[in-house]
Amino acid sequence: MVDEIFDRHYQAGRIEMNAAILEIAGRFGKAFGNAFEVLNRIEYSAPWAAKPKRARLH
């Protein structure tokens, strides 16, 4: 009986721990991908291809 209760709590704890690990890994992957996109855009953007911004007249 005690072993069954322990096992239920253990399994529930493992499920929560695995969910937390997956969430952290997903956030890290998203942040890493975002950083890679930004650095890639900086590295390969051609400054002469950007359209000049017009000044506003008030």
Side-chain angles (χ1 to χ4, degrees):
M1 182 71 171
V2 174
D3 289 339
E4 291 175 9
I5 294 171
F6 173 79
D7 189 51
R8 280 191 218 132
H9 288 288
Y10 177 78
Q11 294 299 331
R14 288 293 301 244
I15 289 170
E16 289 180 23
M17 183 183 70
N18 288 339
I21 290 171
L22 285 175
E23 182 182 350
I24 290 170
R27 284 183 180 184
F28 177 77
K30 222 181 257 191
F32 186 77
N34 185 29
F36 180 75
E37 284 181 23
V38 169
L39 290 174
N40 196 12
R41 191 175 306 129
I42 290 169
E43 180 72 25
Y44 293 107
S45 66
W48 55 86
K51 295 181 181 179
K53 296 180 180 178
R54 301 181 120 202
R56 290 185 180 176
L57 300 175
H58 290 279

